[in-house]
Amino acid sequence: MSPVRRAVAADAQSLTALCLRSKAYWGYDAAFMAKVREEFVVTEDYISKCPVYVLQAGTAPVGFYGFRMIGNHPFLSDLWIEPAYIGRGFGGMLWRHALGTARAAGYDHFLIESDPNAEGFYLRMGAERIGEIKSVSTGRMLPLLKIASRWSARCP
């Protein structure tokens, strides 16, 4: 049995908490985290309408990813690992699962608005930097990455 499963509405609160812990791992202070908090709330609506998958270790979620459509482009809008599990291969495991999900959804590409601290991971995984995108909550410029293949976009 795979430790990756489709998220359910009941996961929303625990995935939000995981996401915020993972973001804070990069050394962001409390003021910054308060400013961006709303961007990282995982809603039941998101879970029900888009492909969101959870990586389990025992009964606890240790990571998750999800896709959203923004404009005409699918975005890997989430890929988060519980801080205690960072650097242990779980990000790569989720990435490979996400690639399979993207292929199954028929995406011909997907974009990633990356935290600057995570850009190296995505580049190692085969993404390319195509520019920058402005953060809604902070106004700072973030790396915009793309992974291309033979997929075509179909996420709600």
Side-chain angles (χ1 to χ4, degrees):
M1 177 182 227
S2 170
V4 179
R5 64 168 174 81
R6 185 78 188 241
V8 295
D11 292 321
Q13 189 174 13
S14 65
L15 296 183
T16 295
L18 186 157
C19 181
L20 291 168
R21 285 189 301 274
S22 186
K23 183 74 172 175
Y25 169 84
W26 298 108
Y28 295 112
D29 64 22
F32 179 88
M33 291 303 296
K35 196 174 199 178
V36 301
R37 185 187 192 299
E38 288 306 311
E39 275 187 63
F40 299 104
V41 172
V42 177
T43 66
E44 292 178 11
D45 188 54
Y46 170 44
I47 290 171
S48 70
K49 291 183 178 173
C50 291
V52 179
Y53 286 87
V54 178
L55 174 63
Q56 297 276 143
T59 60
V62 297
F64 77 99
Y65 73 87
F67 288 97
R68 299 179 198 256
M69 288 301 292
I70 301 175
N72 293 325
H73 299 282
F75 270 77
L76 180 66
S77 56
D78 291 295
L79 195 158
W80 302 100
I81 302 295
E82 189 68 57
Y85 291 83
I86 291 174
R88 295 174 49 191
F90 292 97
M93 184 185 301
L94 276 179
W95 175 259
R96 288 184 295 279
H97 195 276
L99 289 176
T101 297
R103 284 186 190 100
Y107 302 163
D108 65 359
H109 72 281
F110 62 85
L111 302 177
I112 306 159
E113 177 182 328
S114 177
D115 183 283
N117 296 294
E119 181 179 18
F121 167 80
Y122 292 120
L123 294 174
R124 285 189 304 278
M125 296 295 116
E128 65 175 311
R129 187 176 186 155
I130 60 169
E132 294 182 322
I133 190 167
K134 190 174 187 175
S135 167
V136 174
S137 61
T138 66
R140 69 185 182 143
M141 298 306 289
L142 300 173
L144 179 62
L145 310 171
K146 179 178 183 179
I147 187 87
S149 186
R150 58 192 178 297
W151 312 321
S152 66
R154 285 190 211 131
C155 173

